């Protein structure tokens, strides 16, 4: 099989190291994450709020700044056929890669766009930072053309962010992300805080963009419904770890990790009025992780070994791996 | 207690707290003073610091060390009265405005905004001039309290507004708790730290204003305060005559007091506001 | 929307605050046990021997007219406003019969010149340095500046002014100890006079400038650090926008907004601080005028200065409020 991996992490550990009045506090937001994300794939990352999804995305975007630090492991991009370790890149090299090679779609909250600039000026800032523009109106013309292509109204260029609806702000961020036809787009909860109808439109826009560019999208959201709709493969994240990873249909048809069960069961089912099951208990503090399997305080199947040792990965099918003592010792060896 | 231990790890808090303790101890010494602070000519005038008069004596014939202990005590008393009374006003105004909203909010905030744009200093000077004869520690403290609540009422109001958004208010209202109980049980724990840090700022403001009014000669000049000490030193041209011990005593004490209060409040508000706390994070 | 939700409420507030403040100035002496007018008249009578009889009568009648000792309180109040509209603040008791407004107008250029320059300069310098220090808050120089500001900021104006005076005027003798210009010089637009004014106002200006710059430095640094953590800055960084653009068009422009509002709110404080500074340096502005009025018990003059300050400060705050929407489209297009 041809190597199609475009974005890879190897045993990645990323922690926030805080200095609270002279006492170091470590928040272990990403623990031992291995990802191999393919070209022309939509990869979904799911998990409760606070489990480290955004932190993982920061590492993927090569945007690690204090207090966040990469403790061990690495992140690599495949650029023009060659694997590049992002930690070897200079600031300026990384800056140039953004938008052109890897673009970021944030949550389209009220404060995601510069509140004192018109959308047109945001376009100009983004464009002129990456391509040398010779004439004055060039960036504006490019922006107009691009919006038309995506089927968005051109007149929003004259608006200020506070004059746009949440859905429209989100579309603007997606439009900006696709402007320079990047190979990778990473999105952090781009559908959260939108109502269902608007959400569907935004998901469709992302899908259309991907179909056209044939690029890779890494999408973070805690909403399993969105994942079911768009993702090709899903990684389930818990306490900074990927605890299960499989193609979307397998995650939904044959969930294996107890946590994944809960996530799927918490989805509303069509026609089913019975109350939805949510995960009992609360997520662990990443500053103070439980020993062994981090899920054990909340797990209905907990065994003695779970409390002492972290399970390694077991390959339950060719592209389906799980970290849980219920399915075996793990072939990956015992993880840290 | 844990909060206190956390705060003590901040060098500014530790330093400021230490200085403040020393100043309070210094003020308490006044109870053992061998001299009556209101009588002049009890010791020879204008002596340099010596074993007998540690900080020398002034042109009024007072021992500077012991006068200073009274001065710190009295300035602190004024500051505490002004601070505590204005906190009470600020809490009531802020809570009523934030909780009741509507007309209450608009009227109360109009008054506090007005106090913010009016040159209060001049109004206070005017009033001090008129009631100079009856201005003692308590009335001065009350006068300052009356003018010193506006900004902090605003802060408390906006905190109440953001607390109202939270869930517990909704449940408490649904469960039929009385307003008063709600405010005491649900809001007080959240606003107490804010009230405390504004108290410190307000005390510093009050001491500063006391000194200003005293330098202008608007206070009862026979009562030793940091301000009146400075007044007499300036009045007798202590600098020109080279009596540095006389000028430097109130100046050093008040600078120490101001820096201590300021660092205390900065340290506490940084501790309370995680947004500024995150900035303390080291890169190493 | 902008008119209804921003402009009109502000104009109403402006008028109401002035009415409230001036009403307070009118009523305060009447509600307090110690009526300054009666006291002053009594003092005048006692001193009558030293004054020419005509002047004495004039003062007393002026006082009675000014405070309207005849008529109901309401009549007096209306009459007070009537005079105010004509720009009449009465006459000074102790520089009789100079109208208070004339004394204020003579002192005003000195204070306005000192205050306008130092307020604006302090704001600009403090925000400029604070902006960079906030953006590069992990750098060594930023921490050093912060430490300096932590010590300078809590110092009250008069102690700081006093310290500068002691060091640079008494000991080093680089600058004059007091005054606004060399004695005996007549105000004019000649170079020697301007030079003398600049030289005399250097220390008072520095004392205000350094302290207010320290305040703006600290708030700006904090605001910039907070703006820096806002999602639109993170987003721009993750989209590879050039750093220069992020600093100038994203961080600084947004961080300036609360500073503009703050400028309006702090004008009152700076004004009071400047009065003290003038007293310390015997600078011939409103502060020194106020000091002399206090020493002489010239209540009419104090009241005049207070009324004048209420107008000046509320107007400045209003101007800042009116300028603000130019910088914030969220207000402009509500
Ligand atoms: N800038 C930061 N400084 C310190 N801790 C942080 C920071 N950002 C996130 N964290 C912590 O890291 C953990 C993971 O956060 P995050 O990656 O944002 O989770 P998610 O996106 O899954 O909700 C949380 O406990 C959060 O409090
Ligand atoms: S390892 Fe044990 S505790 Fe963890 S999920 Fe599996 S069964 Fe539950
Ligand atoms: Mg997140």
């Amino acid at each position: 099989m041809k190597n199609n991996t475009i974005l890879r992490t190897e045993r990645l550990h990323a922690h926030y190291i805080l200095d609270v009045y002279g006492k170091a506090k470590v928040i272990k937001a990403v623990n031992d994450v291995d990802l191999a994300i393919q070209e022309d794939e939509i990869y979904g990352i799911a998990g409760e709020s606070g489990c480290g999804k955004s932190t993982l995305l920061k590492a993927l975007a090569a945007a690690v700044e204090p207090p966040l630090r990469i403790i061990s492991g690495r992140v690599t991009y495949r650029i023009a056929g060659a694997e590049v370790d992002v930690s070897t890149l200079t600031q300026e090299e990384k800056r140039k890669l953004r938008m052109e090679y890897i673009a970021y779609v944030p949550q389209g909250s009220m404060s995601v766009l510069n509140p004192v600039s018109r959308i047109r000026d945001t376009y100009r800032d983004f464009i002129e930072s990456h391509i040398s523009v010779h004439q004055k109106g060039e960036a504006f013309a490019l922006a107009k053309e691009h919006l038309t292509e995506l089927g968005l109204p051109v007149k929003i260029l004259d608006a200020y962010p506070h004059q746009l609806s949440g859905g429209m702000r989100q579309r603007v961020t997606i439009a900006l992300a696709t402007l320079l036809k990047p190979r990778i787009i990473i999105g952090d909860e781009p559908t959260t805080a939108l109502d269902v109808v608007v959400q569907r439109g935004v998901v469709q826009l992302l899908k259309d963009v991907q179909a056209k560019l044939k690029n890779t999208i890494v999408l973070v959201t805690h909403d399993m419904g969105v994942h079911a709709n768009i993702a090709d493969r899903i990684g389930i994240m818990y306490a900074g770890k990927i605890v299960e990873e499989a193609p979307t249909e397998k995650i939904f048809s044959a969930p294996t990790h107890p946590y994944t069960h809960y996530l799927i069961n918490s989805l509303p089912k069509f026609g089913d009025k019975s109350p939805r099951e949510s995960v009992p208990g609360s997520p662990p503090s990443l500053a103070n992780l439980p020993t062994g399997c981090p899920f054990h305080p909340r797990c209905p199947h907990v065994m003695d070994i779970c409390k002492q040792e972290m399970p390694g990965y077991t390959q339950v099918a060719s592209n389906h791996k799980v970290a849980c003592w219920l399915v075996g010792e793990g072939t990956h060896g015992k993880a840290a | 207690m844990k909060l206190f231990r956390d705060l003590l790890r901040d060098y500014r808090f530790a330093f400021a707290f230490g200085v403040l303790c020393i100043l309070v101890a210094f003020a308490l010494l006044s109870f053992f003073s061998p001299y009556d602070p209101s009588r002049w000519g009890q010791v020879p005038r204008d002596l340099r610091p010596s074993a007998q008069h540690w900080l020398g004596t002034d042109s009024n014939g007072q021992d500077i060390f012991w006068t200073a202990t009274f001065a710190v005590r009295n300035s602190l008393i004024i500051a505490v009265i002004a601070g505590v009374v204005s906190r009470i006003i600020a809490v009531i105004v802020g809570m009523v405005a934030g909780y009741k909203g509507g007309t209450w909010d608009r009227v109360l905030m109009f008054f506090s905004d007005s106090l913010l744009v009016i040159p209060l200093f001049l109004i206070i000077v005017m009033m001090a001039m008129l009631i100079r004869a009856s201005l003692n520690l308590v009335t001065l403290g009350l006068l300052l309290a009356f003018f010193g609540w506006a900004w902090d009422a605003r802060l408390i109001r906006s905190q109440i507004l953001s607390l109202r958004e939270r869930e517990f208010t909704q449940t408490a209202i649904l469960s039929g708790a009385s307003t008063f109980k709600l405010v005491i049980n649900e809001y007080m724990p959240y606003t107490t730290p804010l009230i405390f840090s504004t108290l410190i700022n307000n005390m510093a403001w009050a001491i500063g204003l006391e000194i200003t009014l005293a330098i202008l000669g608007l206070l009862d000049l026979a009562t030793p305060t940091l301000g009146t000490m400075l007044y007499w030193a300036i009045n007798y041209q202590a600098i020109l005559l080279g009596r540095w011990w006389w000028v430097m005593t109130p100046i050093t004490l008040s600078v120490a007091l101001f820096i201590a209060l300021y660092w205390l409040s900065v340290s506490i508000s940084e501790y309370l506001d995680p947004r500024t706390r995150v900035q303390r994070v080291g890169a190493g | 929307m902008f008119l209804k939700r921003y402009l009109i409420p502000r104009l109403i507030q402006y008028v109401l605050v002035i009415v409230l403040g001036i009403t307070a100035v009118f009523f305060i002496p009447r509600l307090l046990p110690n009526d300054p007018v009666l006291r002053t008249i009594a003092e005048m009578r006692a001193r009558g021997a030293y004054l020419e009889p005509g002047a004495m009568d004039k003062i007393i009648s002026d006082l009675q007219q000014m405070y309207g000792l005849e008529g109901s309180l309401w009549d007096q109040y209306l009459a007070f406003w009537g005079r105010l509209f004509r720009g009449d603040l009465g006459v000074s008791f102790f520089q009789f019969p100079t109208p208070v407004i004339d004394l204020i107008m003579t002192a005003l250029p000195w204070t306005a010149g000192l205050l306008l320059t130092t307020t604006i300069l302090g704001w600009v310098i403090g925000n400029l340095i604070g902006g960079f220090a906030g953006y590069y808050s992990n750098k060594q120089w930023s921490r050093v500046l912060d430490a300096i500001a932590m010590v300078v900021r809590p110092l009250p104006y008069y102690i700081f002014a006093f310290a500068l005076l002691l060091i640079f005027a008494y000991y080093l003798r680089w600058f004059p100890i007091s005054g606004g210009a060399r004695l005996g010089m007549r105000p004019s637009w000649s170079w020697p006079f301007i030079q003398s004014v600049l030289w005399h106002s250097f220390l008072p200006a520095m004392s205000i400038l350094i302290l207010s710059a320290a305040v703006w430095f600290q708030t700006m640094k904090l605001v910039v650090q907070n703006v820096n953590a806002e999602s639109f800055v993170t987003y721009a960084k993750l989209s590879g926008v050039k750093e220069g653009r992020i600093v100038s068009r994203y961080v600084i422009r947004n961080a300036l907004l609360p500073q503009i509002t703050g400028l309006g709110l702090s004008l009152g404080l700076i004004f009071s601080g400047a009065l003290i500074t003038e007293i310390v340096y015997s600078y011939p502005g409103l502060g020194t005028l106020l000091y002399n009025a206090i020493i002489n018990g010239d209540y009419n003059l104090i009241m005049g200065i207070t009324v004048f300050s209420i107008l000046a400060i509320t107007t400045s705050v209003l101007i800042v409020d009116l300028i603000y929407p130019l910088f914030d489209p969220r207000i402009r297009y509500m």
Side-chain angles (χ1 to χ4, degrees):
Chain A
M1 194 181 96
K2 192 173 145 246
N3 176 13
N4 269 335
T5 304
I6 186 163
L7 176 58
R8 188 194 290 282
T9 69
E10 286 165 19
R11 314 215 59 174
L12 185 69
H13 291 258
H15 299 170
Y16 292 97
I17 300 184
L18 308 180
D19 163 27
V20 186
Y21 296 108
K23 212 161 67 175
K25 183 178 175 195
V26 179
I27 296 176
K28 297 179 177 158
V30 172
N31 295 305
D32 203 26
V33 168
D34 279 295
L35 293 177
I37 296 169
Q38 310 296 305
E39 267 174 43
D40 196 8
E41 168 180 58
I42 300 188
Y43 187 88
I45 298 175
E48 285 164 299
S49 161
C51 70
K53 303 183 297 293
S54 299
T55 311
L56 177 57
L57 279 197
K58 280 188 219 165
L60 293 183
V64 173
E65 274 179 19
L68 181 61
R69 288 208 289 161
I70 302 284
I71 302 301
S72 63
R74 57 183 199 145
V75 176
T76 58
Y77 294 163
R78 212 184 59 218
I79 305 173
E83 290 234 333
V84 178
D85 182 341
V86 298
S87 66
T88 62
L89 296 171
T90 63
Q91 283 297 334
E92 183 58 16
E93 282 170 332
K94 277 192 273 193
R95 191 189 71 71
K96 286 216 177 95
L97 284 180
R98 304 194 190 289
M99 277 188 90
E100 295 177 47
Y101 175 78
I102 182 165
Y104 173 73
V105 180
Q107 188 177 321
S109 68
M110 199 65 199
S111 62
V112 73
L113 295 165
N114 189 355
V116 297
S117 296
R118 294 180 195 271
I119 305 299
R120 181 178 34 193
D121 295 320
T122 298
Y123 259 95
R124 212 184 66 209
D125 288 336
F126 280 42
I127 291 173
E128 290 180 358
S129 292
H130 290 284
I131 40 188
S132 44
V133 178
H134 302 295
Q135 277 153 312
K136 216 166 159 255
E138 210 175 314
F140 185 53
L142 188 64
K144 269 209 297 222
E145 186 188 305
H146 183 64
L147 284 178
T148 318
E149 216 173 293
L150 291 178
L152 298 177
V154 172
K155 66 171 194 298
I156 61 169
L157 286 173
D158 286 325
Y160 283 99
H162 72 276
Q163 296 172 307
L164 298 179
S165 68
M168 196 47 87
R169 272 198 303 271
Q170 193 67 69
R171 287 187 175 88
V172 169
T173 61
I174 294 173
L176 279 165
T178 58
L179 189 67
L180 303 180
K181 304 192 169 41
R183 294 316 303 151
I184 307 172
I185 296 177
I186 54 182
D188 194 354
E189 312 260 9
T191 57
T192 311
L194 299 177
D195 70 56
V196 185
V197 181
V198 182
Q199 206 175 48
R200 204 172 297 149
V202 167
V203 168
Q204 193 55 49
L205 180 62
L206 271 173
K207 271 178 156 174
D208 292 348
V209 160
Q210 197 273 335
K212 203 183 299 170
L213 294 179
K214 300 248 173 298
N215 63 357
T216 302
I217 295 186
V218 183
L219 185 70
V220 158
T221 163
H222 62 269
D223 185 340
M224 291 301 283
V226 171
H227 282 304
N229 215 326
I230 189 171
D232 299 319
R233 257 189 332 143
I234 297 178
I236 307 288
M237 199 165 179
Y238 187 81
K241 268 183 157 341
I242 300 290
V243 293
E244 180 164 9
E245 180 186 67
T248 306
E249 62 275 16
K250 273 198 194 146
I251 286 281
F252 283 92
S253 62
T256 307
H257 196 280
Y259 180 62
T260 314
H261 274 279
Y262 275 118
L263 285 185
I264 290 168
N265 288 340
S266 66
L267 268 181
K269 287 188 194 73
F270 188 70
D272 176 6
K273 294 245 167 67
S274 62
R276 281 173 263 141
E277 204 180 345
S278 61
V279 197
S282 49
S285 151
L286 294 178
N288 191 9
L289 284 173
T291 55
C293 170
F295 192 56
H296 85 250
R298 307 167 78 185
C299 181
H301 309 290
V302 57
M303 302 169 288
D304 278 344
I305 187 162
C306 306
K307 296 177 185 162
Q308 278 131 36
E309 278 182 72
M310 176 66 211
Y313 287 113
T314 303
Q315 211 74 36
V316 292
S318 69
N319 44 14
H320 186 172
K321 62 177 186 176
V322 182
C324 173
W325 287 116
L326 286 177
V327 292
E329 288 257 321
T331 48
H332 195 111
K334 284 167 192 158
Chain B
M1 264 302 74
K2 181 182 174 302
L3 178 111
F4 185 71
R5 245 180 294 129
D6 277 350
L7 280 171
L8 269 185
R9 261 187 271 122
D10 182 358
Y11 70 95
R12 289 167 308 183
F13 185 89
F15 176 84
F17 188 74
V19 170
L20 211 60
C21 285
I22 295 175
L23 285 173
V24 170
F26 184 72
L28 290 178
L29 278 183
S30 61
F31 289 105
F32 306 102
S33 169
Y35 306 104
D36 176 351
S38 57
R39 281 185 46 212
W40 289 350
Q42 301 187 73
V43 293
R45 289 162 210 277
D46 301 323
L47 295 180
R48 290 178 161 273
S50 65
Q52 201 173 9
H53 302 288
W54 294 345
L55 293 176
T57 65
D58 66 17
S59 307
N60 287 332
Q62 287 188 310
D63 179 280
I64 291 177
F65 178 86
W66 292 106
T67 310
T69 60
F70 283 103
V72 173
R73 183 174 102 192
N74 290 336
S75 287
L76 283 176
I77 290 176
I78 295 170
V80 168
I81 293 176
V84 169
V85 175
S86 66
R87 264 0 46 197
I88 295 173
I89 304 178
V91 168
I92 294 176
V93 170
M95 288 209 169
V96 170
Y99 191 78
K100 291 254 182 191
T103 313
W104 279 98
D105 186 27
R106 252 172 280 137
V107 171
L108 289 175
M109 284 306 107
F110 167 71
F111 276 108
S112 67
D113 284 353
S114 306
L115 279 184
L116 288 176
V117 291
I118 281 179
L120 283 185
F121 169 69
L122 285 166
I123 305 251
I124 294 178
V125 163
M126 234 174 74
M127 294 191 66
M129 231 188 124
L130 294 170
I131 53 173
R132 186 172 353 190
S134 44
L135 262 189
N136 53 32
L137 299 182
V138 177
T139 44
L140 178 61
L142 291 178
L143 177 66
L144 297 183
F146 185 72
F147 288 105
W149 53 268
W151 181 253
D152 304 326
R154 243 189 189 293
L155 289 181
I156 292 169
R157 167 183 173 272
S158 56
Q159 199 182 27
I160 297 288
L161 284 183
S162 72
L163 286 175
R164 273 187 66 160
E165 303 290 306
R166 291 209 204 157
E167 236 168 301
F168 63 70
T169 320
Q170 314 292 346
T171 38
I173 290 176
L174 287 180
S175 67
S178 80
T179 309
F180 181 72
K181 262 200 189 144
L182 176 89
V183 167
I184 296 300
N185 295 340
E186 310 285 2
Y187 292 167
M188 266 309 186
Y190 290 92
T191 32
T192 307
L194 178 67
I195 294 171
F196 194 70
S197 85
T198 60
L199 170 71
I200 298 174
N201 282 328
N202 191 266
M203 283 172 59
W205 173 80
I207 297 174
L209 216 53
E210 185 273 321
I211 300 183
T212 312
L213 292 175
I215 290 180
L216 295 177
L218 288 173
L219 299 184
D220 168 18
L221 298 168
T223 308
T225 63
L226 289 172
T228 54
M229 276 190 89
L230 215 49
Y231 171 86
W232 287 116
I234 293 172
N235 201 38
Y236 277 100
Q237 306 282 353
I239 307 168
L240 277 181
L241 300 175
R243 293 179 189 136
W244 50 268
W245 59 90
W246 190 6
V247 195
M248 288 319 283
T249 302
I251 288 191
T252 312
L253 286 171
S254 44
V255 167
L257 192 56
F258 283 118
I259 292 186
L261 289 175
Y262 182 65
W263 287 16
L264 223 50
S265 100
V266 168
S267 173
I268 293 176
S269 55
E270 254 180 44
Y271 187 83
L272 295 176
D273 184 356
R275 279 211 296 183
T276 52
R277 193 164 13 144
V278 171
Q279 310 301 337
R280 295 179 48 79
V281 164
Chain C
M1 274 320 255
F2 168 67
L3 264 184
K4 233 176 96 183
R5 281 186 26 201
Y6 186 82
L7 207 59
I8 293 179
R10 246 140 267 254
L11 289 171
I12 293 177
Q13 170 108 13
Y14 172 68
V15 174
L16 282 180
V17 166
I18 289 179
V19 171
L20 194 75
I22 290 180
T23 305
V25 170
F26 175 81
F27 280 103
I28 284 171
R30 282 147 208 283
L31 299 180
L32 293 172
N34 190 358
D35 189 313
V37 184
L38 297 178
R39 200 181 67 205
T40 311
I41 291 178
E43 275 174 23
M44 290 276 161
R45 284 230 164 82
R47 275 196 228 184
Y50 307 106
L51 284 169
E52 38 177 308
M56 180 72 210
D57 289 346
K58 243 176 163 179
I59 292 176
I60 292 177
S61 75
D62 185 78
L63 286 176
Q64 281 175 331
Q65 191 200 340
M66 182 69 193
Y67 295 100
L69 290 178
E70 316 89 21
S72 72
L73 206 59
W74 180 244
D75 292 338
Q76 300 170 22
Y77 182 60
L78 289 185
F80 180 70
W81 275 105
R83 279 196 304 276
L84 273 189
F85 274 116
R86 277 177 270 122
D88 178 5
L89 293 168
V91 296
S92 160
F93 297 163
F94 283 83
Q95 273 169 277
F96 190 82
T98 323
V100 163
I101 191 77
D102 289 358
L103 289 175
I104 292 178
M105 283 307 164
T106 318
L108 186 63
W110 292 96
T111 299
L114 181 66
L115 207 58
L116 272 181
T117 26
T118 50
T119 304
I120 293 170
L121 265 181
W123 191 84
V124 170
I125 293 174
N127 282 323
L128 206 67
I129 304 178
F132 280 103
Y135 194 79
Y136 298 104
S137 60
N138 278 330
K139 295 260 158 62
Q140 189 66 33
W141 58 265
S142 168
R143 285 162 202 249
V144 170
L145 283 177
D146 206 33
I148 295 175
M150 282 295 287
V151 176
V152 173
R153 163 106 189 247
L155 298 181
Y157 275 101
Y158 45 84
I159 288 193
F160 189 67
F162 207 55
L164 287 188
L165 186 73
L166 274 183
I167 298 170
F168 294 103
Y170 277 105
Y171 293 123
L172 297 177
R173 291 172 194 281
W174 291 354
F175 294 98
I177 284 171
S178 66
R182 213 167 60 237
L183 273 162
M185 260 183 144
R186 311 200 71 224
S188 65
W189 285 110
S190 65
W191 177 237
F193 180 74
I194 293 172
Q195 213 175 7
S196 173
V197 167
L198 287 179
W199 190 52
H200 276 78
S201 54
F202 188 81
L203 277 186
M206 273 327 237
S207 69
I208 303 178
L209 194 65
I210 293 175
L211 274 188
S212 64
V215 174
W216 293 122
F217 167 85
Q218 279 201 322
T219 42
M220 183 64 171
K221 182 165 181 256
L222 203 62
V223 176
V224 164
Q225 286 177 337
N226 288 337
V227 171
N228 225 349
E230 289 266 9
S231 41
F232 60 86
V233 175
T234 317
Y235 179 38
K237 282 182 184 166
L238 280 173
S239 299
V241 176
K242 285 184 176 152
E243 193 172 21
R245 258 177 215 258
I246 294 187
V247 175
S248 62
R249 297 171 57 96
Y250 286 67
V251 179
I252 302 286
R253 263 183 73 186
N254 280 284
L256 273 182
L257 298 179
Q259 297 298 83
I260 295 172
T261 320
L263 177 64
L265 279 178
S266 67
L267 280 174
L269 277 180
I270 295 175
F271 183 78
S272 310
L275 294 191
I276 307 295
T277 310
E278 290 185 5
I279 295 169
V280 173
Y281 292 100
S282 320
Y283 181 86
L286 285 178
T288 302
L289 191 64
L290 176 77
Y291 184 61
N292 292 329
I294 292 173
I295 293 199
N296 295 326
D298 193 340
Y299 185 78
N300 218 8
L301 183 50
I302 295 182
M303 209 170 85
I305 295 176
T306 309
V307 166
F308 184 83
S309 314
I310 291 175
L311 292 174
I313 291 178
T314 47
T315 307
S316 321
V317 172
L318 181 72
I319 291 174
V320 173
D321 272 351
L322 294 185
I323 291 176
Y324 182 80
L326 295 181
F327 296 90
D328 192 344
R330 281 164 296 187
I331 304 287
R332 212 159 59 232
Y333 303 97
M334 262 199 217

